[in-house]
């Protein structure tokens, strides 16, 4: 007989392992990389994903943070009927990124706030797998793409293949605000821990 029958907490926790594995695989992250990101061991992560270890709150919190999903998504809490996305800003390398979507995987939407020019890390072009789209909501953006450089104002959108070296930042003394869409590879590149 199933130990979880008639036990709502057991029913909820039984599905955590497959969700954790799906979230990690959607990000193309290894157990070792996720272990470094969360402070949990790769062995613990493997046992959680396989259902051989019952998850604790202390384990689920860093996993939710690493995957960029609410804790409710990990445990499949019953829906509340509330469609609002609860905005939780993430700060990385001088940027403020506000997730505007709450489902895991696929295209993710963010409001990104770039600090005023001169207050951000030096311009360092980066590449990663994926495709990115952004729309300037406020301020002016300095956008370097390959050997070209653009100054974009409010109401201008840009889209590009992220395998082309690129960099985005504020073009003047005010912060720049963008609406950005990118897939798992782009999300991982933008939310990766700072190399500084």
């Amino acid at each position: 007989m199933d130990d979880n029958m008639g036990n709502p907490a057991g029913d909820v926790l039984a599905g955590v392992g497959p969700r954790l594995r799906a979230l990690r695989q959607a990000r193309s992250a290894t157990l070792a990389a996720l272990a470094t990101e969360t402070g949990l061991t790769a062995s613990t992560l493997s046992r959680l994903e396989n259902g051989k270890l019952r998850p604790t709150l202390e384990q689920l919190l860093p996993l939710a943070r690493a995957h960029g999903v609410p804790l409710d998504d990990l445990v499949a809490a019953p829906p509340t009927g509330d469609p609002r996305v609860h905005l939780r800003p993430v700060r990385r390398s001088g940027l403020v990124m506000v997730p505007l979507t709450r489902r895991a995987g696929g295209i993710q939407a963010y409001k990104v706030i770039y600090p005023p020019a001169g207050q951000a890390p030096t311009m360092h072009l980066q590449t990663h797998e994926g495709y990115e789209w952004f729309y300037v909501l406020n301020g002016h953006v300095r956008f370097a793409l390959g050997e070209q450089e653009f100054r974009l104002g409010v109401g201008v959108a840009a889209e590009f293949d992220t395998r082309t070296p690129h960099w985005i930042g504020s073009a003047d003394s005010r912060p720049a605000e963008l609406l950005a869409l990118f897939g798992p590879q782009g999300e991982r590149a933008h939310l990766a821990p700072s190399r500084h």
Side-chain angles (χ1 to χ4, degrees), residues 24-35:
R24 180 178 59 78
Q25 290 173 342
R27 294 174 54 212
S28 300
T30 64
L31 285 170
L34 187 57

Side-chain angles (χ1 to χ4, degrees), residues 38 40 44 48 53-64:
T38 60
L40 301 170
T44 296
L48 286 169
L53 179 64
R54 185 181 179 101
T56 66
L57 187 58
E58 289 78 18
Q59 293 164 331
L60 292 175
L61 287 173
L63 285 165

Side-chain angles (χ1 to χ4, degrees):
M1 186 169 183
D2 188 349
D3 291 340
N4 292 331
M5 293 242 344
N7 177 356
D11 291 343
V12 167
L13 293 176
V16 171
R19 277 189 290 282
L20 288 172
R21 183 179 302 109
L23 285 165
R24 180 178 59 78
Q25 290 173 342
R27 294 174 54 212
S28 300
T30 64
L31 285 170
L34 187 57
T36 300
E37 198 174 354
T38 60
L40 301 170
T41 66
S43 171
T44 296
L45 293 169
S46 176
R47 290 172 51 218
L48 286 169
E49 286 186 4
N50 292 323
K52 294 180 177 162
L53 179 64
R54 185 181 179 101
T56 66
L57 187 58
E58 289 78 18
Q59 293 164 331
L60 292 175
L61 287 173
L63 285 165
R65 196 174 312 118
H67 292 310
V69 298
L71 186 59
D72 288 355
D73 286 4
L74 291 184
V75 297
T80 63
D82 184 353
R84 293 173 297 176
V85 176
H86 301 284
L87 309 177
R88 293 182 181 95
V90 176
R91 296 178 190 279
R92 290 283 190 273
S93 303
L95 301 180
V96 176
M97 299 186 70
V98 182
L100 302 175
T101 48
R102 60 182 180 183
R103 63 178 166 71
I107 300 296
Q108 299 293 308
Y110 288 86
K111 178 178 179 181
V112 184
I113 304 167
Y114 290 88
Q119 294 182 21
T122 57
M123 188 168 101
H124 173 73
L125 276 67
Q126 64 174 339
T127 61
H128 51 87
E129 289 296 317
Y131 207 78
E132 189 166 332
W133 175 93
F134 69 84
Y135 176 84
V136 182
L137 296 169
N138 197 12
H140 288 91
V141 171
R142 181 178 170 200
F143 174 43
L145 183 65
E147 295 183 12
Q148 298 179 318
E149 192 167 310
F150 306 90
R151 182 183 167 103
L152 309 175
V154 174
V156 176
E159 61 179 332
F160 59 98
D161 185 326
T162 56
R163 292 174 295 183
T164 303
H166 60 281
W167 180 86
I168 303 167
S170 176
D172 55 35
S173 62
R174 295 180 304 151
E177 298 180 18
L178 281 66
L179 173 62
L181 301 177
F182 40 76
Q185 298 92 347
E187 181 183 16
R188 195 166 52 253
H190 288 277
L191 294 179
S194 174
R195 294 187 188 105
H196 305 297

